[in-house]
Structures are given as C-alpha cells and as structure tokens.
C-alpha cells in the first residue's frame, strides 16, 4: 500500500507549491475524483445521504480505499499548517479561537489516521505487517503534532517515540531515504524540544528517550518492529558487556592541545562513538588493502555526523541566549574544533593516499610516445588538484575556534602548508619538464625549494590535538628528503637550462657567414652540426690564399713588372755571362735568390 511514500509525495508537492491552501484544494479535488471512481459519491440528483463506513474486506478487494483516508487526513493537516503559517507571519492575529481551530484540524487529521490503523489491523484487510507499521507511525506523528501544539510534552514524546522506533526499524531494513527524511524533518526535532521542556538530561540522546517512552501494549506492532530490527528496542550500553567488549564505549570528553572538555550533549557523544567505531573498521580494512580509498568513506561520513551534531548543539545554545563566555559554550566550541580538525585530517589523509596511487600508476608508464605523455600530464593535473584541495583544507583549520591564538600550532600549520605548497610547485614543474620547457621547470623547482627552506621544519613532537588519524603528520625525515630532492632538481635543471641557452645562441648564429664544414673544423659544434653549406665548397671559387713572405720574394725575381723590362733573374744572368761557371756554384736554389 506504501502509506509513507504516498504521504511524503503529497508533502513534497506542498513544498513545491509553497502554499498550504493550494495543497488543501488539491487534496479536496483528488478526494472527489477518487470517491467518484470508487462509487462512494452521492449523485447530484439525489439528496445527500452519508455513506456507510468502509470495511476491512473492501480494503482487501480495493487497496485504493486507503487513499480516501490519507487524502482526508492530509487535507485537514494542510488546513492546520495554513493557519500555523499565518500565525507565524502575523503574531498579532493569534487568538484562542484560532489556536483551538488549528488543534481541531490536527485532531481531525489524526482521527482519520487512527481509523485507517483500525481497519488495517483487522485480519480481513489482508494488510501486511509493513503496512500496519507505516499506518501506526503516520497516526502517531499526527497525534504527536496535536499534543505538541497543546504543549502536552509528555504525550508528545510518547507519540513521537512510536514514530521514531518504527521509522528507525523501517530504515534499517529497507534503507529508504523517505524514512530518514521523516525522522530528521519532524520526529527528532519534536522529541528533542519536548525533552527540553520536560527538563530531561541533555546526555540522553533521541534514541534513548524514544526507547524509554515507547509503549509496548500493541504486541503485534512490537513483534513487527523486532522482526525488522532486533536491536531497535534494546539498550546498546547494556549489550556491550555481553559482546565481549567489542563495542565502543560512549565518549565523555575530548582533548585538544592539552585541554580537555567534557561532552555533555548526547547526540555529540553518540556521533563521536560512531566515528571511533568507523576508525576501528578502517584500520582493520587498511591491513588488507593499504592503498584503498573506499575505506575512508565510512570514517568521513561518521565525522561529518559529529560535526553536524556539534553545530546543532551550538545553534541550540545560541538560540537559548547562552553567551560565548559561558563554560558550556566554550566546551562546545572546543568540541567543534576537535571534530572539524579530525574531519579535515581524514580528508587530507585520503587525498594523500590518492596521490600515492596516482604516482604509482604513473611509474608503470615507462615507455615513450605521445599517448603516454598525455597520460602523464593528466596524472600530474590530478595530483595538482588534490594538492589544491589539501591546501584549502589547511586554510579551514586556521578559521577554527582557538587556533589563531595558539602561536605554536599556527607555526606548525605554516610549515605543513609550505611542505604541501612545495609538493604542488614541484608537480607543476614536472609537467613543464615533460613539455620540454626547462626554463619554467627551473623557476618552479626554485619556487618549491624556497617554500621548503623559508619555513621552519615540522616539530618532532607536538602537543596532542586529537585521537584521530594524523593526516597532517609530516616527519622531519620527509621534509629533509623533499628539500634534498628539490636541491638536486634545481641544480640539474639549471644545467639543462644553460645548455638550452647556449644551443639557442648557436642556432641564431648558424648559417650567417659560415662556410663549408671543412673550413670550420677548428670550431666545436655546440648544437647540431650544420650541413647546409656542405662539407666542401663545390664548384670551387677563386679566393685569396694566405702565403708566407719568402714566396713573395721568389715571385718578385720571376715576375716582369710594367716599366721594368725583363725579369731581374734573367737580366742578372746575362750580365754575368761566362763568369757563371767560374766563380759561382749556387745551383738552382741559388739562382732563385739571384746568386
């Protein structure tokens, strides 16, 4: 029959329309259509006559008869909510008669729901235990709303306790978010406010209050609830010793930087216990698969619930007029800092594990090629995005209460921020190195080295912050290893950048006035060897050849110059004539010198 999904769909339409009068009109129109379709409408030509009440057998034959009660109940509920919204908008219009009219509409709505429960509990209706539970939860919520408006807090808690237990059992068995919406929107806030009005201890959570006020007279409902969830009506604290201590004890205090604050709010205590249990399950899963990030989901969700519970408690105290100087408010602020810091630590831990997984995947791609190059750039881009998320999380830590005044802790955060900034810059530098942009890579590696050298090294021992996972834990060994690696990279890329600069200069001068390669054998090629001008000049051109001065003297003796007559060597030979063979024995070489 799906009673709760049907009601939830109607109320979602009410939220969309934003006007309860329109919802009331819609329910009236659909109710008239349904009556006509089911044959329970008086003809216009006849005098009005009341219809006989529905029987369980009719519901068994046609389940849509259930919708008659649901539409009638929701129409009365919408009328009540319309008047309540009018009273909230204009407090001067509030009167005793209007308040009484509002309560009467809620009473009429719950009377239709009670009639439906009576019919479904009849064996002739052939209704399942699931249908009976949904009908009882719906009727109990309307009965609780009526008692809430009357300020009958005890009756309100008893009625909403039925809805709380039934919805919790249905949620644990079916995992349907509709039941969770019903709990968070109406049931839990009403129980908490009624408990506040009754001055019940704040260390009692909503589940404990509901178990204590749940009536056990209806045995069929109790058995159906226990069939869905056997532990929903039992006290977890009483069952913990029986399980051999496997459960997690309730959290009564939290510690932050050598300061301890008691946990007085029950919801925060339960949320912290759930977070601790999630951490224990994470450590057990980590032994099987250390690089898995799926194990973090449960821990992050548990700590987020703790953060929400702390925020809700602070908002409630603020609404009550409690100042920030109150000791209880200060304890809540410290708890807020602890749970937020723990959540941020686990987020950073997950991001670091993801970065390690990406880095290991990149090391497997050892082969070259354009495709592998693109993959490496994609991996580096993912790493940079994760480092950005880590730095943003660190910025959130600075805004937590009590952090700005702690200089030692702030200095520690600065060093860790510098460490992750250096990692981010080095990752971007590696991407530029893949693109063969060595100058930018050198600048980024130098910037990363400045980050790690300008900050103080992380302390070896710091004051305890929380018992959560140390996602921000950085050892001095890790910091020194990163510093050494960056120094090596800076030196290597400085040399590579200098080589690129020399090669660029050589490329600019290549081909400008340079001859064949044979004429440049005395020059060492700084870049690639230039073969554009050839190895030798071909065909050869007439070019001046440098010679020694002695060859010029010999040429002077054999060259006839204008106005000088015959060559000097020939003239000298004629003058000496027959004396040549008598007085001189110089030979051919001597004749070259004019002897």
């Amino acid at each position: 029959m799906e009673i709760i999904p049907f009601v939830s769909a109607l109320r979602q339409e009410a939220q969309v329309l934003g006007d309860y009068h329109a919802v009331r009109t819609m329910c009236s129109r659909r109710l008239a259509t349904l009556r006509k379709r089911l044959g329970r409408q008086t003809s216009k030509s006849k005098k009005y006559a009341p219809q006989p009440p529905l029987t369980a057998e009719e519901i068994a034959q046609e389940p849509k008869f259930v919708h008659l009660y649901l539409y009638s109940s929701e129409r009365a509920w919408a009328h009540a909510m319309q008047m309540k919204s009018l009273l909230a908008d204009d407090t001067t219009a509030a009167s005793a008669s209007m308040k009484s009219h509002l309560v009467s509409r809620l009473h009429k709505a719950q009377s239709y729901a009670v009639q439906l429960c009576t019919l479904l509990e009849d064996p002739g209706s052939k209704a399942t235990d699931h249908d009976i539970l949904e009908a009882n939860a719906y009727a109990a919520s309307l009965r609780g709303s009526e008692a809430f408006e009357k300020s009958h807090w005890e009756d309100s808690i008893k009625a909403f306790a039925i809805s709380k237990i039934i919805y919790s059992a249905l949620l644990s068995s079916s995992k349907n978010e509709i039941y969770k919406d019903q709990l968070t929107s109406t049931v839990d806030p009403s129980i908490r406010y009624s408990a506040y009005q009754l001055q019940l201890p704040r260390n009692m959570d909503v589940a404990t209050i509901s178990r204590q006020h749940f009536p056990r007279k209806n045995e069929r409902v109790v058995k159906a609830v226990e069939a869905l969830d056997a532990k929903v009506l039992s006290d977890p604290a009483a069952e913990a010793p029986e399980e051999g201590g496997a459960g997690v004890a309730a959290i009564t205090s939290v510690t932050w930087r050598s300061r301890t604050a008691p946990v007085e709010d029950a919801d925060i205590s339960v949320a912290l216990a759930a977070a601790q249990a999630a951490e224990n399950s994470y450590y057990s899963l980590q032994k099987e698969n250390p690089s898995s990030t799926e194990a973090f989901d449960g821990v992050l969700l548990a700590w987020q619930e703790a953060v929400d519970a702390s925020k809700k408690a602070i908002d409630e105290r603020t609404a009550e007029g409690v100042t920030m100087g109150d000791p209880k408010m200060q304890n809540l602020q410290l708890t807020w800092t602890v749970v937020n810091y723990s959540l941020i630590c686990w987020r950073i831990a997950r991001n670091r594990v993801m970065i390690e997984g990406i880095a290991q995947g990149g090391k497997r791609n050892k082969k070259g090629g354009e495709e592998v190059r693109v993959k490496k750039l994609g991996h580096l881009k993912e790493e940079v995005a994760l480092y950005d998320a880590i730095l943003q999380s660190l910025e959130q830590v600075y805004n937590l209460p009590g952090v700005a005044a702690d200089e030692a802790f702030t200095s520690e955060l600065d060093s860790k921020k510098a460490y992750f900034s250096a990692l981010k810059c080095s990752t971007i530098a590696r991407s530029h190195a893949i693109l063969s942009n060595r100058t930018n890579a050198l600048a980024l590696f130098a910037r990363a080295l400045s980050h790690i050298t300008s900050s103080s090294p992380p302390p070896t021992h710091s004051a305890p912050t929380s018992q959560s996972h140390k996602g921000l834990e950085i050892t001095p060994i890790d910091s020194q290893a990163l510093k050494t690696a960056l120094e090596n990279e800076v030196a290597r890329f400085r040399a590579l950048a200098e080589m690129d600069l020399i090669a660029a200069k050589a490329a600019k001068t290549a081909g400008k006035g340079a001859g064949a390669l044979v004429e440049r054998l005395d020059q060492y090629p700084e870049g690639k060897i230039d073969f554009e001008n050839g190895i030798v000049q071909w065909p050869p051109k007439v070019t001046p050849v440098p010679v020694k001065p002695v060859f010029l003297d010999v040429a002077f003796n054999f060259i006839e110059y204008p106005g000088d007559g015959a060559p000097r060597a020939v003239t000298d030979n004629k003058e000496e004539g027959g004396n040549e063979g008598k007085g001189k024995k110089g030979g051919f070489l001597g004749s070259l010198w004019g002897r």
Side-chain angles (χ1 to χ4, degrees):
M1 296 180 184
E2 296 183 351
I3 296 174
I4 300 302
F6 182 82
V7 174
S8 178
L10 280 177
R11 296 190 178 182
Q12 284 180 359
E13 292 183 12
Q15 293 178 356
V16 172
L17 294 174
D19 184 10
Y20 288 106
H21 178 70
V23 178
R24 179 186 173 192
T25 304
M26 179 188 67
C27 290
S28 299
R29 185 172 60 253
R30 292 184 181 180
L31 185 61
T33 303
L34 185 61
R35 283 174 176 169
K36 184 177 181 181
R37 186 179 302 169
L38 296 176
R40 296 188 64 83
Q41 183 182 19
T42 304
S43 177
K44 294 182 179 180
S45 59
K46 296 182 180 179
K47 186 178 180 181
Y48 171 76
Q51 297 289 337
L54 286 174
T55 61
E57 289 74 14
E58 290 178 332
I59 292 179
Q61 294 176 359
E62 181 53 66
K64 285 191 176 296
F65 279 115
V66 174
H67 294 175
L68 290 176
Y69 287 98
L70 295 179
Y71 277 127
S72 301
S73 178
E74 284 300 298
R75 181 175 61 176
W77 175 83
H79 192 185
M81 292 299 104
Q82 179 188 358
M83 289 188 290
K84 188 174 182 178
S85 63
L86 292 175
L87 292 176
D89 294 338
D90 187 8
T91 56
T92 58
S95 61
S97 60
M98 194 170 186
K99 185 73 173 179
S100 176
H101 192 193
L102 189 154
V103 173
S104 69
R105 293 300 91 192
L106 290 175
H107 178 76
K108 186 174 184 180
Q110 71 95 17
S111 66
Y112 282 118
V114 170
Q115 294 177 22
L116 178 60
C117 290
T118 304
L119 289 174
L120 293 180
E121 290 176 357
D122 192 330
S125 64
K126 298 181 181 180
T128 62
D129 291 340
H130 187 275
D131 298 333
I132 295 174
L133 287 178
E134 286 189 345
N136 278 276
Y138 176 63
S141 64
L142 292 174
R143 187 164 59 252
S145 298
E146 180 187 0
F148 191 91
E149 294 297 332
K150 290 181 178 180
S151 300
H152 296 171
W153 309 118
E154 186 71 27
D155 296 337
S156 177
I157 284 185
K158 289 181 179 179
F160 280 116
I162 298 174
S163 299
K164 170 68 176 178
I165 296 299
I166 294 177
Y167 285 144
S168 300
L170 292 172
L171 180 62
S172 63
S173 63
S174 63
K175 305 298 181 182
N176 194 336
E177 293 296 326
I178 293 178
Y179 304 119
K180 185 176 181 180
D181 294 339
Q182 294 292 328
L183 288 172
T184 56
S185 62
T186 305
V187 178
D188 288 351
S190 300
I191 293 177
R192 175 57 63 192
Y193 188 79
S194 299
Y196 169 75
Q197 293 293 336
L198 292 175
Q199 298 182 356
L200 296 179
R202 290 186 180 273
N203 57 359
M204 294 177 61
D205 60 332
V206 176
T208 303
I209 296 174
S210 301
R211 284 192 297 269
Q212 291 180 357
H213 292 82
F214 182 77
R216 302 174 184 266
K217 297 179 180 179
N218 195 334
E219 296 182 358
R220 184 174 180 179
V221 173
V222 173
K223 290 181 180 179
V225 168
E226 291 179 345
L228 294 175
D229 189 354
K231 297 181 179 180
V232 71
L233 291 175
S234 58
D235 190 2
E239 293 185 355
E242 298 178 2
E243 296 176 359
V248 179
I251 306 299
T252 58
S253 62
V254 293
T255 303
W256 172 261
R257 307 287 294 175
S258 304
R259 180 184 172 186
T260 303
V263 179
E264 299 177 351
D265 192 276
D267 293 339
I268 299 177
S269 179
V270 171
L272 289 174
Q276 186 175 350
E279 288 184 1
N280 295 336
S281 62
Y282 163 79
Y283 290 124
S284 61
L285 292 174
Q286 190 185 29
K287 296 178 181 179
E288 302 175 358
N289 189 2
S291 61
S292 176
T293 58
E294 297 179 357
F296 285 94
D297 296 339
V299 183
L300 292 174
L301 181 61
W303 278 112
Q304 186 62 53
E305 293 289 342
V307 170
D308 295 340
S310 302
K311 184 66 168 60
K312 179 181 177 183
I314 292 174
D315 293 341
E316 289 178 354
R317 301 299 186 281
T318 305
E320 294 172 7
V322 180
T323 61
M324 289 297 175
D326 188 87
K328 292 185 177 180
M329 181 62 78
Q330 291 182 358
N331 292 334
L332 285 175
Q333 292 288 338
L334 189 140
T335 306
W336 167 259
T337 301
V338 170
V339 295
N340 275 279
Y341 181 77
S342 299
L343 177 62
I344 291 172
C345 283
W346 280 97
R347 284 177 180 171
I348 294 176
R350 181 187 61 178
N351 291 340
R352 295 179 71 177
V353 171
M354 292 175 67
I355 291 172
E356 292 176 2
I358 293 173
Q360 291 177 1
K363 290 179 180 179
R364 300 189 188 101
N365 298 326
K366 296 182 179 180
K367 298 181 180 180
E370 185 66 23
E371 183 178 356
V372 175
R373 180 186 177 191
V374 172
K375 286 184 179 179
K376 287 183 179 179
L377 289 175
H379 291 163
L380 292 176
K381 185 177 180 181
E382 292 176 1
E383 290 185 23
V384 171
L386 290 172
Y387 282 126
D388 279 334
I390 291 175
L391 293 174
Q392 290 176 5
S393 299
L394 283 174
E395 291 294 335
Q396 294 177 4
V397 178
Y398 286 98
N399 299 326
L400 295 177
V403 172
D406 194 343
E407 295 183 359
F409 185 61
T410 304
S411 176
E412 181 181 344
L413 285 177
D414 292 338
S415 63
K416 293 175 179 179
K417 182 180 178 181
Y419 177 82
F420 289 111
S421 298
L423 287 174
K424 176 186 173 182
C425 285
S426 64
T427 304
I428 300 175
R430 283 188 283 134
S431 66
H432 281 273
I434 292 176
L435 296 173
S436 300
N437 195 343
R438 294 171 178 174
T439 305
N440 288 351
L442 173 61
L444 287 166
F445 276 124
R447 180 65 179 272
L449 183 60
S450 66
H451 278 303
I452 202 69
T453 54
S454 62
S455 63
S456 59
T460 54
H461 300 285
S462 59
T465 53
S466 65
Q467 300 176 357
S468 181
H469 187 284
K470 299 300 186 298
L472 285 174
E473 190 174 282
I474 302 171
T475 61
I477 298 176
D478 296 336
S479 181
Q480 185 61 34
L482 177 60
K483 182 179 178 181
T484 303
L486 289 176
E487 289 175 348
N488 296 337
E489 291 294 333
V490 168
R492 186 168 76 93
F493 275 90
R494 183 176 287 119
L496 292 173
E498 187 66 23
M499 292 174 61
D500 290 343
L501 184 61
I502 295 173
K505 291 180 179 178
K508 290 181 180 179
T509 59
K512 295 182 180 179
L517 181 62
V518 71
E519 300 176 3
R520 294 182 282 109
L521 292 178
D522 59 332
Q523 301 177 6
Y524 182 80
E526 297 175 349
K528 296 181 179 180
I529 300 176
D530 184 16
F531 292 101
E532 292 183 2
N533 295 326
I535 299 176
V536 296
Q537 182 69 37
W538 188 262
K541 296 180 181 179
V542 178
T543 56
V545 178
V547 295
K548 295 181 179 180
V550 66
F551 296 141
L552 297 176
D553 294 341
V554 174
F556 178 76
N557 294 330
F558 288 92
I559 296 175
E560 179 182 359
Y561 292 95
D564 194 17
R568 176 176 292 185
V570 177
T571 306
D572 292 343
N573 290 337
K574 290 180 179 180
E575 291 178 355
E576 295 179 0
N579 298 329
E580 182 180 356
K582 296 180 180 181
K584 294 183 180 180
K585 296 181 181 180
F588 174 75
L589 291 177
S591 66
L592 293 177
W593 298 100
R595 295 177 181 178

